[in-house]
Amino acid sequence: MPLYEELSAAAQTAFAGVDDAARQADLKRSIADLPGGFAKKNVSGRAYWYYQVKMPDGELRQSYVGPDDAATRALIQRHADPAAKLAKQQMVRMTRAAIELGCADIPPKHARVIERLADGGLFSAGAILVGTHAFLAYQNILGVRWSAGTATLDLDFAHAGRNVSLALPENLKLDTTATIESLEMGFIPNQKHTSFKKADEPDFDLDFLTSRGRAGDAPVTVPRLNLTMQPLRFMELSLQDPVRSTLIARNGPIVVNLPRPQRYALHKLLVYGERPQIQRTKARKDVAQAAALMDYLLVHDATEVAALWLDVTARGPGWRRRLKEGFQAMTDLYPDRDFQGRLDRAVAGV
């Protein structure tokens, strides 16, 4: 049997509506979309308006709006327009309707963390959401419901680290650690500061990852994000060419960056062999998630899967050996899905 089932047409349509609305709203976001208010200041005998927001690190940040004239007062009035609040309420209603129709949502406490990091600018600075939450998000994107591999407790984020720092605005400086502290959920950084743990929920971790470079397993610190990340082998495969999409939670949608599904699937096969014996449960989940995605993609996007397969196998013997190990574990676990035959046919067609 397939490792997924199709969502109803109504559910797929509902998610498409939420995704489109959320991404449009995200494009129009400004500092005024954060909790805050307008303040008038007198400078050299003239009055000016500013929008002020208390940032996660406690700093009060002000953005200039304009002089105290008719045009600026009209702008402030439009911002206070009940229609803006109604639009946000409508977004929440759309999201909850999509959930009722069968779309997959994420736990409220996870949504709270992801939304706060999004508000803090982490995704705008190039971070992507990886791990099981990305796998959950693919359900709505692809219009399916997975049959396995969806259990999760921790949150995994990845960033290319110093590899993209030059592409970011020169004045960009985020305080991701302060953003996490502002949640007041009891997250404590580990010794290397690459992970944040909750004493009362040992399995609810926030892990920050990056690709492994010449420094090996040494944590990578990015001062402009005030964040330290743990290098992971093969992570560059997931970090390349991410997609923008929407997570669904009961309190509304959250726009994030995700790995492309085919890259996520092959990355899971690659890391399968890297898991130590004490992480057999996670290794099995890696295989289950890769299998579900491959089962879908080899039907609906076989050409892309085959092209990426050839790309990965051309990266060297270490890549080929680990990919083969993961693929073999997947075929052993799901012999009825004929992954080998289906992949061979897809590769032959490229």
Side-chain angles (χ1 to χ4, degrees), residues 2-3 29 109 118 128 161 164 177 214 219 250 285 290 304 331:
L3 302 179
R29 275 175 66 93
K109 62 182 179 181
I128 66 174
V164 298
T177 298
R214 294 180 180 179
R250 288 200 61 80
K285 186 171 73 171
E304 287 293 324
T331 56

Side-chain angles (χ1 to χ4, degrees), residues 191-233:
Q191 187 173 4
K192 296 180 179 179
H193 282 249
T194 59
S195 179
F196 293 77
K197 300 179 178 294
K198 275 173 63 66
D200 57 339
E201 295 182 78
D203 294 318
F204 185 14
D205 299 344
L206 310 183
D207 297 319
F208 293 89
L209 311 168
T210 191
S211 53
R212 194 170 183 265
R214 294 180 180 179
D217 294 329
V220 175
T221 299
V222 182
R224 293 169 71 183
L225 302 180
N226 190 21
L227 189 62
T228 301
M229 295 170 286
Q230 181 63 48
L232 185 66
R233 295 195 70 173

Side-chain angles (χ1 to χ4, degrees), residues 72-192:
T72 300
R73 287 192 293 271
L75 175 65
I76 294 171
Q77 184 60 38
R78 286 199 300 272
H79 182 270
D81 190 340
K85 293 183 178 180
L86 288 174
K88 291 183 178 181
Q89 292 171 358
Q90 175 63 14
M91 192 91 74
V92 172
R93 286 194 291 269
M94 290 173 61
T95 305
R96 292 185 178 181
I99 295 171
E100 292 300 319
L101 287 168
C103 292
D105 61 326
I106 60 174
K109 62 182 179 181
H110 294 186
R112 183 183 172 198
V113 174
I114 297 169
E115 184 173 30
R116 183 64 61 86
L117 289 171
D119 285 342
L122 187 63
F123 297 113
S124 297
I128 66 174
L129 182 66
V130 294
T132 300
H133 285 81
F135 182 66
L136 289 171
Y138 296 142
Q139 294 178 113
N140 298 328
I141 296 169
L142 303 176
V144 299
R145 174 75 73 175
W146 305 129
S147 61
T150 58
T152 184
L153 289 172
D154 55 3
L155 282 165
D156 298 326
F157 304 88
H159 193 279
R162 297 167 185 158
N163 294 331
V164 298
S165 60
L166 295 178
L168 299 176
E170 286 300 322
N171 61 351
L172 174 69
K173 189 173 182 181
L174 307 180
D175 195 339
T176 306
T177 298
T179 300
I180 294 169
E181 291 172 351
S182 75
L183 289 162
E184 298 183 348
M185 293 175 66
F187 286 109
I188 304 296
N190 66 359
Q191 187 173 4
K192 296 180 179 179

